[in-house]
Amino acid sequence: QVQLVESGGGSVQAGESLRLSCKVSGVTKNNYLLGWLRQAPGKEREGLAALDTDDTITYAGSVKGRFTMSRDYVNNILYLQMNFLKPEDTAMYYCAASSTAWARPESPPPSPSEYEYWGQGTHVTVSS
């Protein structure tokens, strides 16, 4: 059974950093792509980053160069390091898993509809 539990959200000032964590269970390296997504108030959910089973990582243009996705395979934790945060980064952040999506270098991450399993989310607020 796939379970995803996010943590690490909070309130920060513009320009500061946060690291989100997602405890992953029921997922092995070779059977699921893992992603970070967010949903801002009044906006559609968007994919931010995705880690494929071959270790390919892809980022959305809006966060490329500021956000870094990584995974601790020993402890099964997915991370999203967020630097130089902006007020427009304010959103609910989710980690998710997909058994069918795939990530291609230099291409946008999979769309939210391609994910089967979701965490409950962790909220990030960035003040100007």
Side-chain angles (χ1 to χ4, degrees), residues 53-122:
T53 57
D54 64 354
D55 293 329
T56 296
I57 300 179
T58 184
Y59 296 94
S62 58
V63 303
K64 196 171 185 178
R66 298 190 299 126
F67 291 10
T68 302
M69 181 178 185
S70 61
R71 184 176 178 181
D72 176 349
Y73 288 99
V74 173
N75 297 299
N76 252 342
I77 300 174
L78 193 68
Y79 295 105
L80 185 68
Q81 177 67 42
M82 307 187 295
N83 298 328
F84 306 109
L85 283 162
K86 306 174 182 179
E88 51 263 43
D89 293 318
T90 295
M92 184 71 81
Y93 284 72
Y94 301 90
C95 64
S98 173
S99 64
T100 57
W102 49 286
R104 175 178 287 178
E106 304 306 320
S107 294
S111 67
S113 62
E114 297 187 69
Y115 291 90
E116 299 146 68
Y117 300 97
W118 293 80
Q120 82 289 349
T122 186

Side-chain angles (χ1 to χ4, degrees), residues 1 4 10 16-17 29 31 46 58-59 71 79 83 107:
Q1 182 179 358
L4 306 162
E16 294 184 342
S17 299
K29 180 180 187 293
N31 61 3
E46 63 170 329
T58 184
Y59 296 94
R71 184 176 178 181
Y79 295 105
N83 298 328
S107 294

